[in-house]
Amino acid sequence: MVDFSLTEGDQRFLDLIQEEYELGRKFAREVDREAEHKPPVVKTLHPALEGKPDPYQLLHESDEGTSGEIMVDALMHMVSAKDLDMRPEGLGFGSMVLEDFGTDEQKAKFGHLRLAIGLTEPGAGSDPGNMASTWRYDAATDEYVLNGEKVFISAINKLDGAVTLLRGVPDEQGRRLFSSFIITKDMKGFHEMQQFQKLGMHQFDIAGFTMDDIRVPAINRLEADFGRTMSRFNHNRPLVAAGALGLCRSMLDFTKAKLAEGGIEVDYARGVKARSAAEDKIIRMEALWEAAWGTIMEVKWKQTQLGTTSLGYRTEASMAKAIGGKAARQITQGCLELLGPEGLSEDYLAEKWFRDARIADIYEGAGEIQRILVARDVLGYKKGELN
Ligand SMILES: Cc1cc2nc3c(=O)[nH]c(=O)nc-3n(C[C@H](O)[C@H](O)[C@H](O)COP(=O)(O)OP(=O)(O)OC[C@H]3O[C@@H](n4cnc5c(N)ncnc54)[C@H](O)[C@@H]3O)c2cc1C
């Protein structure tokens, strides 16, 4: 039987993270204004958190008395907006791919590195088949030679390097096989680009890099083809959706509080004909929030059963990302409609949440693409038949 109740242990972690997120909000406006105009720096512990344990780390060390690390981790993302990351820089997405698919030798050699994930290229984001960057094997030196350009790479300007997915130059059968390589910023031929200025999420740096005949030995090549490299997204996409829901929670709570100041309390028991338009809008947005919550928890439950590298819940992961991105867009937009000018005022964070939210429906695979992936899996379409 499915049990939706939280254990005391779950609640303890939700309270801990809520406290940290609320602390972060005190600094959020200043960081939002300034972060992209400062050179990216590797984060250290924010002084306001001195002496406070990291809730995610605590959970990782022991999830006893909770609904399990995977479930509670997702729930923690959804309590409210994470406006500021106040903890030292963690491992990047690429480090997780190394953790999933690296050999013991590769983990021993590269495990200490903080690695971004380099997939997107100027002409290839939604459709990796268009990747123009290449790898080739040079038998004369027993090295792989990497060339090309990657863009919009999260935190690349402060991490040590990246796991980058490239397509091979055509083999004898004309195939261009995908393969992932570990590259570091000190390699000859690695060129970092300037930070990308964007609509929202200013606390979060993205930039690009080029690879100009980077030469790496065999140990830098991961046993991670396209499918394996992308499998990490099945774990992460629902978490991106969960983070978006956390942001929406803050937006909804703020909007309800503002409506209450104006004398409008949402009465959930009142029938649809008796409700005001504002109440109806809030209730509908909260229903979307709940639907997204349920979709995320379902995929996280499947992850608990099947393991993090399983492909057994990739459709559900895409569903979660699609509905989370949609909720982020529609709820923040809907709340602005109810808030009016206060929604746009820099006296509050609502306008920031509105800007931050849009990105959730783009990165880690845009909503349009998730819906295509779901349609392919559910209806059995092949690539090219539907789009
Ligand atoms: C904050 C942020 C962080 C990111 N971090 C990383 C990272 O760490 N590593 C990395 O590799 N990339 C990263 N990205 C890139 C991101 O994954 C891509 O931007 C995203 O996948 C979309 O790809 P694209 O930019 O090439 O857009 P495009 O593929 O050109 O798409 C543009 C628009 O067209 C739509 N579209 C495309 N094809 C179709 C179709 N067939 N049918 C309907 N609509 C379609 C898309 O949904 C999108 O809305 C990041 C992006 C952002 C904004």
Side-chain angles (χ1 to χ4, degrees):
M1 200 182 81
V2 180
D3 180 1
F4 290 103
S5 57
L6 298 178
T7 68
E8 274 180 31
D10 297 342
Q11 194 57 56
R12 187 167 61 88
F13 281 107
L14 299 191
D15 293 344
L16 275 177
I17 201 69
Q18 176 74 317
E19 195 189 318
E20 188 160 317
Y21 288 172
E22 278 170 14
L23 204 53
R25 271 192 273 291
K26 292 190 182 158
F27 308 95
R29 175 59 68 195
E30 181 194 337
V31 172
D32 180 58
R33 283 201 184 114
E34 295 175 2
E36 287 195 337
H37 305 291
K38 290 183 179 166
V41 281
V42 176
K43 277 193 287 288
T44 51
L45 185 71
H46 194 286
L49 285 184
E50 207 65 62
K52 291 184 194 290
D54 178 349
Y56 285 103
Q57 186 56 34
L58 277 185
L59 175 69
H60 185 60
E61 282 161 15
S62 171
D63 63 0
E64 213 181 314
T66 74
S67 302
E69 182 178 1
I70 291 174
M71 304 299 273
V72 180
D73 178 44
L75 289 168
M76 284 160 78
H77 279 73
M78 294 190 269
V79 291
S80 65
K82 181 179 184 178
D83 285 296
L84 198 56
D85 195 353
M86 302 164 84
R87 300 271 170 197
E89 210 78 55
L91 295 175
F93 195 118
S95 306
M96 298 176 205
V97 177
L98 170 68
E99 180 57 32
D100 287 345
F101 302 112
T103 60
D104 289 344
E105 198 188 354
Q106 287 172 322
K107 286 182 200 174
K109 181 156 189 208
F110 302 117
H112 65 287
L113 296 174
R114 289 162 307 164
L115 301 168
I117 185 80
L119 306 176
T120 310
E121 299 183 3
S126 302
D127 189 353
N130 290 336
M131 274 185 194
S133 58
T134 57
W135 64 268
R136 69 178 171 85
Y137 177 62
D138 182 356
T141 59
D142 191 21
E143 286 172 320
Y144 292 93
V145 186
L146 318 179
N147 278 289
E149 178 178 349
K150 297 289 176 182
V151 289
F152 308 142
I153 308 305
S154 300
I156 184 66
N157 25 24
K158 40 191 185 183
L159 301 184
D160 303 310
V163 167
T164 187
L165 182 71
L166 306 171
R167 294 197 74 179
V169 295
D171 65 10
E172 281 132 28
Q173 286 99 48
R175 295 171 308 174
R176 294 191 55 213
L177 300 178
F178 285 97
S179 196
S180 282
F181 296 86
I182 294 168
I183 53 172
T184 51
K185 286 157 75 168
D186 54 6
M187 286 175 174
K188 188 161 177 279
F190 183 99
H191 306 288
E192 191 177 318
M193 290 191 249
Q194 270 202 335
Q195 193 181 166
F196 183 78
Q197 310 276 309
K198 55 195 177 323
L199 173 74
M201 286 175 63
H202 293 164
Q203 66 140 330
F204 188 87
D205 303 317
I206 56 174
F209 62 85
T210 57
M211 295 160 286
D212 191 5
D213 276 336
I214 293 183
R215 290 182 162 266
V216 294
I219 193 169
N220 288 54
R221 184 179 181 189
L222 286 172
E223 271 306 312
D225 56 7
F226 180 71
R228 283 184 141 200
T229 307
M230 296 305 285
S231 68
R232 240 300 149 175
F233 284 89
N234 298 332
H235 157 73
N236 235 48
R237 279 179 176 151
L239 287 183
V240 170
L245 280 204
L247 186 152
C248 291
R249 187 70 265 153
S250 290
M251 190 72 159
L252 283 162
D253 291 347
F254 174 74
T255 307
K256 280 161 65 175
K258 281 285 161 201
L259 288 177
E261 279 174 22
I264 302 170
E265 294 277 359
V266 181
D267 181 347
Y268 294 88
R270 214 171 4 223
V272 69
K273 286 186 186 156
R275 286 178 202 151
S276 66
E279 280 176 284
D280 190 66
K281 200 175 181 86
I282 290 280
I283 288 170
R284 284 175 195 277
M285 288 193 291
E286 289 192 323
L288 174 57
W289 195 96
E290 297 275 341
W293 184 96
T295 314
I296 292 165
M297 293 318 284
E298 183 189 350
V299 60
K300 286 291 153 184
W301 177 75
K302 288 199 169 155
Q303 185 183 335
T304 305
Q305 308 300 309
L306 301 173
T308 293
T309 54
S310 167
L311 295 178
Y313 47 88
R314 67 169 192 189
T315 315
E316 291 85 347
S318 287
M319 286 176 178
K321 177 68 173 57
I323 192 170
K326 173 177 156 177
R329 279 189 291 107
Q330 295 191 351
I331 293 175
T332 52
Q333 174 77 36
C335 287
L336 276 203
E337 285 160 13
L338 292 172
L339 288 165
E342 281 186 313
L344 301 180
S345 164
E346 288 199 7
D347 289 347
Y348 308 106
L349 289 173
E351 66 82 31
K352 173 184 176 292
W353 295 328
F354 175 70
R355 286 184 283 113
D356 289 353
R358 187 59 184 89
I359 293 171
D361 207 26
I362 298 177
Y363 72 155
E364 299 225 3
E368 292 83 357
I369 303 307
Q370 302 310 321
R371 283 184 282 278
I372 290 173
L373 294 177
V374 171
R376 274 191 206 141
D377 283 353
V378 173
L379 303 174
Y381 286 100
K382 294 205 170 50
K383 188 165 188 259
E385 286 179 349
L386 196 68
N387 55 316

